[in-house]
Amino acid sequence: MHTALTTTSRPSLLREAGLAYFPVALMARLPFAMMVVGILTLVVSARGSLALGGLTSAMTGLGTALFGPALGALADRYGQRRVLLWAGVSNSLLLIAIAWLAFSPTRDAVILAIAFGIGATMPQVAPLSRSRLVGIIGRSFRGERRSRVLNGTMAYESAADEVVFVFGPVVVGLLATTQGPVAPVIGAAVLALVFVTAFALHPTARVEAGDGETIEQAPAIELLRARVLIPVVGALGMGLFFGAMLTSLTAFMADRGVPEQAGLVYGAMGIGSAALALSVAAFPARFSLTARWLVFGGVLVAGAAAVPLAQDVAGMAACLLIVGMGIGPTLVTQYSLAAEASPVGRSSTVMTMLGSGVVVGQSAASALVGLVAEEAGTTVAMFAPLVAGSVVLGAAVAHTVVSRRG
């Protein structure tokens, strides 16, 4: 009887967060993955300019870069609920506005301004979800089990990110092909309004607000420590890789007359990535986070180095499968290191900095590599993922140096 009571009282993250939390949090981040590609597709279709489409995507990323961490800081201070409700509604309205105005005689400057607003109000669901779960784990678990649950949670969260970042463009492609270029943007607006609102109203949103208690925050200057900034740079490199890989792959498939199939081939990367991300929880403790970043960052670079050598779709899919094996564990490691290094009371800010880094990198690389492919050709563009992977691995080396000095 005593054993049964002990087992029952043992905390479980699923029980602490609630069964509905995980599907709601997963769906709430899907608009995040659809926006950049959806807006790019919309503007190119409506205005007939690849350059303007790339610039519009870049403005979305710029808005996120400037205001994403600020939303995280506001969530740390005032709680996630009110920040998410405001951001979700504002973002949905701006998405509807750009869908409505893209095909109108409205000046390009207005479209760019709205795109900036979309990035600025983008609900930071993924980083705020990590912050909530880190808070629950810190409150409910102790000792070695806390570390094990934290690693498993970061593994799940990164796998969830991979699912939406890989399949978000696939959803955009399907909607744009079957319903027209406006459909993905309207779809993202509806998803944001419904699921971001549900995510904001979920009871776990009160964890970060401290249930009405005043939380002592570390000074903001601690956000500039190397142990915080290096994972942010690594996340930026991951975003650069996502954007460079998707854009160069689209050019690769366009050369073969099937650009609409780029999203399907891109999905090969998600298979290895999600599988390896989930397996991180089973890695032994002696395989340190720093060592994991170096190892799997190296796998990412090796796969990216093979991308320019691919001669057909099967070869490209094989390269993406290898690349995926490096992406998942690397993302898990970056977020785990950031969670450990987060200053007291600023978890949402740090997680949002990483999430913004991914979006900014994806937007910037999509715009830049699109121009490179248009001006210099697909062969040159295919080297962009290798450059982006080198940023990820370089950040891993920098973190290793800092850790040894520490």
Side-chain angles (χ1 to χ4, degrees):
M1 178 66 71
H2 176 72
T3 303
L5 288 173
T6 303
T7 303
T8 302
S9 62
R10 198 176 188 191
S12 161
L13 184 60
L14 186 61
R15 185 166 58 246
E16 295 291 329
L19 185 60
Y21 175 81
F22 294 96
V24 167
L26 179 66
M27 290 301 298
R29 70 186 78 191
L30 183 57
F32 192 91
M34 293 171 61
M35 287 178 194
V36 174
V37 180
I39 290 172
L40 174 65
T41 303
L42 173 69
V43 173
V44 171
S45 300
R47 303 284 168 133
S49 171
L50 181 60
L52 178 62
L55 184 58
T56 306
S57 293
M59 289 298 288
T60 304
L62 180 62
T64 300
L66 295 179
F67 289 93
L71 291 178
L74 289 172
D76 277 328
R77 181 166 293 277
Y78 299 110
Q80 291 190 12
R81 181 164 293 169
R82 64 181 70 177
V83 174
L84 280 166
L85 286 173
W86 173 84
V89 172
S90 301
N91 196 254
S92 295
L93 292 175
L94 288 169
L95 284 168
I96 293 171
I98 200 170
W100 177 42
L101 295 174
F103 284 92
S104 73
T106 304
R107 292 165 53 186
D108 292 346
V110 176
I111 301 298
L112 294 174
I114 295 174
F116 180 85
I118 289 170
T121 59
M122 191 176 290
Q124 303 293 315
V125 174
L128 293 183
S129 175
R130 285 179 170 88
S131 181
R132 282 191 203 186
L133 296 177
V134 166
I136 292 172
I137 292 167
R139 182 190 64 191
S140 306
F141 297 85
R142 295 291 178 267
E144 183 180 340
R145 188 157 184 251
R146 175 191 289 181
S147 177
R148 189 167 63 251
V149 173
L150 177 63
N151 284 334
T153 301
M154 292 299 107
Y156 163 77
E157 285 287 309
S158 294
D161 281 347
E162 275 304 295
V163 169
V164 296
F165 268 106
V166 170
F167 295 106
V170 177
V171 174
V172 170
L174 290 173
L175 287 174
T177 301
T178 59
Q179 305 296 325
V182 173
V185 179
I186 297 296
V190 173
L191 286 172
L193 192 61
V194 174
F195 288 100
V196 172
T197 299
F199 180 71
L201 296 177
H202 193 273
T204 54
R206 297 185 60 82
V207 173
E208 289 298 301
D211 293 325
E213 300 175 5
T214 300
I215 299 175
E216 189 69 27
Q217 287 187 322
I221 191 67
E222 291 195 22
L223 294 170
L224 301 180
R225 290 185 304 162
R227 286 181 176 272
V228 175
L229 292 180
I230 291 175
V232 174
V233 174
L236 174 66
M238 295 302 296
L240 290 170
F241 184 86
F242 287 138
M245 191 68 253
L246 179 58
T247 307
S248 59
L249 175 62
T250 301
F252 178 85
M253 298 301 288
D255 288 350
R256 284 150 183 80
V258 284
E260 68 280 0
Q261 295 182 15
L264 299 177
V265 180
Y266 191 68
M269 189 171 72
I271 297 173
S273 179
L276 266 292
L278 289 171
S279 70
V280 167
F283 289 171
R286 62 180 178 274
F287 189 12
S288 69
L289 291 173
T290 303
R292 294 176 195 179
W293 192 353
L294 285 170
V295 170
F296 290 105
V299 172
L300 172 63
V301 169
V307 166
L309 304 178
Q311 300 296 315
D312 51 30
V313 175
M316 179 60 69
C319 292
L320 290 173
L321 194 62
I322 295 172
V323 164
M325 293 178 183
I327 286 178
T330 300
L331 272 173
V332 173
T333 302
Q334 290 171 349
Y335 276 102
S336 296
L337 288 169
E340 290 183 354
S342 295
V344 175
R346 295 192 179 273
S347 175
S348 294
T349 307
V350 173
M351 293 298 157
T352 308
M353 288 167 65
L354 267 73
S356 297
V358 173
V359 176
V360 170
Q362 184 188 33
S363 300
S366 296
L368 182 59
V369 177
L371 291 174
V372 170
E374 194 172 282
E375 298 296 328
T378 301
T379 302
V380 177
M382 298 303 287
F383 284 93
L386 177 59
V387 175
S390 299
V391 174
V392 177
L393 186 57
V397 173
H399 191 276
T400 302
V401 173
V402 170
S403 298
R404 287 178 177 174
R405 288 179 178 174

